[in-house]
Amino acid sequence: MKQSIFLFEDQKEMVIIAMNYNRSTLIGVNKKLFDIAFNKMLQKNNPVELDGMEMILVSQSLHKYGKFLSNSKQIKESKKYRIYGDIFEEIRKNFQQLNGPKFKKSRTA
């Protein structure tokens, strides 16, 4: 199951910048899995179709790049990336809650 997420041009650009930064720190299988989500962002499709794991990778990239900007004393830009990372994480949580496995609660004595 995938979630359709519409991104404005500036939002998509932020995600691509953050993911490109994060991609440079990855190697091996992690990089190959990451590239699947990254390539979806590079396409012109809008809305973008992402699964839960791909949303995690986007969120992590935004937070990681935000931290990099913070360390570079670019606090205002850093906050933008971190807030957008939080928004992506909320989208993912809602998606997982709606589409994740359902557990039946059993009665206890």
Side-chain angles (χ1 to χ4, degrees):
M1 180 132 281
K2 306 262 183 192
Q3 174 74 37
S4 294
I5 302 172
F6 181 85
L7 301 171
F8 292 108
E9 284 296 317
D10 58 335
Q11 294 169 327
K12 195 166 192 175
E13 187 177 323
M14 284 175 65
V15 171
I16 290 171
I17 289 168
M19 290 185 82
N20 196 40
Y21 172 79
N22 193 17
R23 185 179 185 275
S24 68
T25 66
L26 302 172
I27 57 171
V29 176
N30 289 336
K31 191 172 200 171
K32 287 182 182 181
L33 291 172
F34 186 88
D35 282 345
I36 294 169
F38 187 52
N39 288 331
K40 286 183 180 183
M41 284 297 170
L42 294 175
Q43 295 174 357
K44 298 292 180 197
N45 300 348
N46 212 358
V48 179
E49 300 279 329
L50 299 174
D51 65 21
M53 186 63 203
E54 292 165 339
M55 286 186 265
I56 289 172
L57 295 172
V58 170
S59 176
Q60 286 176 342
S61 295
L62 289 162
H63 282 109
K64 191 172 193 175
Y65 190 66
K67 185 174 182 179
F68 165 76
L69 290 172
S70 179
N71 290 338
S72 301
K73 306 296 185 228
Q74 299 176 49
I75 304 304
K76 198 172 187 180
E77 275 296 296
S78 170
K79 284 183 181 178
K80 282 179 22 181
Y81 279 87
R82 289 180 179 210
I83 288 170
Y84 198 45
D86 290 343
I87 291 169
F88 245 93
E89 187 61 19
E90 282 302 312
I91 292 169
R92 184 197 65 81
K93 284 179 185 177
N94 291 334
F95 169 77
Q96 295 288 72
Q97 196 170 39
L98 291 173
N99 300 297
K102 308 293 185 239
F103 298 102
K104 291 183 179 178
K105 293 184 180 179
S106 60
R107 292 187 167 197
T108 58

